[in-house]
Amino acid sequence: MILLYVPAGEFLRGSTSDDQAQMLMLCPDCRGESITDQSPQRRIYLDEFWIDQTEVTNEQFAKFLAETGYDTTAEQKGKGSVLDPY
């Protein structure tokens, strides 16, 4: 995995009511309550961090689980599942 450095700083988190209206126009089957938790938009500060350049694949995650025996929080609560795309 390639890691990318993200410097500390502020950014806008969330969306405005105009943003949400535009999203709903692009997705007529979406429900408004599915995006209302994105507001109010606010400025937040994050410390610097590193993040993977690409997502973890299902195969990579399955390998991690097999090698470590790790149980996710969802699995610990009895609500976890794995989708088998094959």
Side-chain angles (χ1 to χ4, degrees):
M1 285 281 187
I2 297 173
L3 291 174
L4 301 176
Y5 174 74
V6 179
E10 292 185 343
F11 76 100
L12 287 175
R13 176 182 179 186
S15 58
T16 66
S17 56
D18 288 342
D19 294 335
Q20 292 175 16
Q22 289 179 12
M23 285 185 257
L24 291 173
M25 285 179 17
L26 294 171
C27 180
D29 295 333
C30 295
R31 297 177 310 164
E33 42 299 346
S34 66
I35 59 172
T36 55
D37 63 347
Q38 298 178 17
S39 58
Q41 188 177 61
R42 56 200 169 276
R43 187 169 297 279
I44 66 168
Y45 175 88
L46 284 180
D47 292 332
E48 64 184 10
F49 62 95
W50 291 87
I51 191 167
D52 288 329
Q53 184 176 19
T54 58
E55 297 88 357
V56 173
T57 66
N58 286 341
E59 182 180 339
Q60 289 169 322
F61 189 61
K63 180 179 177 188
F64 163 77
L65 294 176
E67 291 178 1
T68 65
Y70 180 81
D71 281 331
T72 67
T73 304
E75 290 165 327
Q76 292 169 11
K77 293 180 178 182
K79 297 181 181 180
S81 62
V82 176
L83 299 176
D84 185 358
Y86 304 104

